[in-house]
């Protein structure tokens, strides 16, 4: 217990760093995932190609490699931002590919007749997608979206290797100070458990309220 009590401020700083990374990257992933899912089912061929390329490239690229590309590559093109922002971009873009596919699978569960009926009433593709298809699709994909965001929270640990303040990175300082490495990781695991259980609880509430009863 003394490992935690004597270094609570260090753990707390790392915990808040991980929470911030998770929240900001999740918001970015949800927005980009929604946009890319819309592109993948759009009637415009160029949009579908762009969405397909986005998902294919990001889903098949190791996250660590993406971190290197974003944190070390973008500054070479004159884009200099705090490392935390680069980490959010890497995590958010990577996870958006998985959110996109989750949403697309939900869209595919909506009967085609509903989209055809909407178009027959004069609704545009955007109106049909936003008012008819996506609200129904969202109800069926709440659990997998929650699981994807839980994975994002755990993936944020990679950011510590790139000078970003997060929970896992606290072990380096504590190890140098001579603290027991086992208990150091135990309290780090507790921190991640709090974050992931909070996300799980949130999506359980959403599922009970809006999910499809099976």
């Amino acid at each position: 217990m003394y490992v935690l009590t004597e270094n609570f401020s260090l753990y707390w700083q790392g915990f808040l760093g991980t929470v911030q990374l998770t929240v900001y990257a999740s918001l970015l992933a949800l927005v980009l995932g929604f946009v890319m899912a819309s592109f993948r089912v759009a009637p415009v061929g160029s949009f579908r190609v762009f969405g397909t390329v986005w998902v294919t490239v990001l889903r098949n690229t190791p996250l660590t490699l993406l971190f290197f590309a974003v944190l070390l590559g973008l500054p070479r093109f004159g884009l200099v931002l705090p490392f935390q922002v680069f980490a959010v971009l890497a995590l958010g873009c990577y996870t958006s590919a998985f959110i996109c596919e989750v949403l697309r699978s939900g869209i595919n569960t909506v009967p085609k007749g509903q989209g055809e009926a909407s178009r027959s009433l004069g609704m545009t593709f955007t109106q049909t997608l936003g008012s008819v298809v996506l609200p129904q699709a969202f109800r069926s994909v709440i659990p997998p979206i929650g699981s994807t965001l839980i994975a994002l929270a755990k993936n944020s640990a990679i950011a510590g290797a790139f000078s970003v303040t997060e929970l896992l990175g606290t072990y380096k300082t504590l190890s140098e100070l001579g603290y027991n490495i086992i208990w150091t990781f135990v309290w780090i695991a507790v921190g991640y458990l709090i974050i992931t259980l909070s996300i799980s609880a949130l999506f359980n509430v959403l599922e009970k309220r809006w999910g499809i009863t099976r």
Side-chain angles (χ1 to χ4, degrees):
M1 191 70 180
Y2 73 92
V3 176
L4 176 64
T5 56
E6 293 181 2
N7 301 279
F8 184 79
S9 61
L10 181 64
Y11 273 113
W12 181 247
Q13 186 178 10
F15 180 81
L16 288 181
T18 296
V19 170
Q20 290 177 347
L21 280 176
T22 300
V23 171
Y24 295 145
S26 294
L27 292 175
L28 179 61
L30 289 170
V31 171
L32 287 177
F34 166 78
V35 172
M36 293 304 152
S38 301
F39 280 7
R40 295 212 64 184
V41 298
V44 182
S46 57
F47 284 179
R48 291 198 303 272
V49 170
F50 184 85
T52 300
V53 171
W54 178 276
V55 170
T56 301
V57 170
L58 290 177
R59 286 182 71 189
N60 294 284
T61 300
L63 181 55
T64 304
L65 179 59
L66 186 60
F67 263 89
F68 275 111
V70 172
L71 273 78
L72 303 180
L74 292 182
R76 293 179 178 272
F77 295 95
L79 185 59
V80 180
L81 297 169
F83 274 14
Q84 186 179 31
V85 176
F86 283 133
V88 168
L89 288 174
L91 280 170
C93 291
Y94 177 79
T95 308
S96 70
F98 297 90
I99 294 290
C100 169
E101 290 302 273
V102 168
L103 287 174
R104 191 168 70 93
S105 67
I107 291 172
N108 290 335
T109 65
V110 179
K112 292 183 179 180
Q114 296 197 24
E116 294 172 353
S118 300
R119 287 192 293 272
S120 69
L121 293 174
M123 297 177 68
T124 64
F125 169 77
T126 303
Q127 291 172 330
T128 300
L129 189 66
S131 301
V132 179
V133 177
L134 280 178
Q136 297 181 69
F138 175 73
R139 295 178 62 198
S140 66
V141 298
I142 293 175
I145 287 179
S147 297
T148 303
L149 296 185
I150 287 174
L152 182 153
K154 292 183 288 186
N155 287 338
S156 67
I158 297 176
F162 297 90
S163 302
V164 177
T165 300
E166 52 80 42
L167 189 56
L168 183 61
T170 59
Y171 90 90
K172 299 177 183 177
T173 302
L174 296 178
S175 178
E176 292 172 357
L177 293 174
Y179 285 95
N180 187 300
I181 193 67
I182 295 178
W183 282 105
T184 297
F185 280 112
V186 165
W187 291 115
I188 289 174
V190 170
Y192 278 107
L193 190 61
I194 292 172
I195 294 172
T196 55
L197 288 179
S198 298
I199 297 173
S200 179
L202 172 62
F203 277 85
N204 282 337
V205 171
L206 294 177
E207 185 179 9
K208 289 179 180 178
R209 183 168 183 177
W210 289 309
I212 296 176
T213 303
R214 300 184 188 279

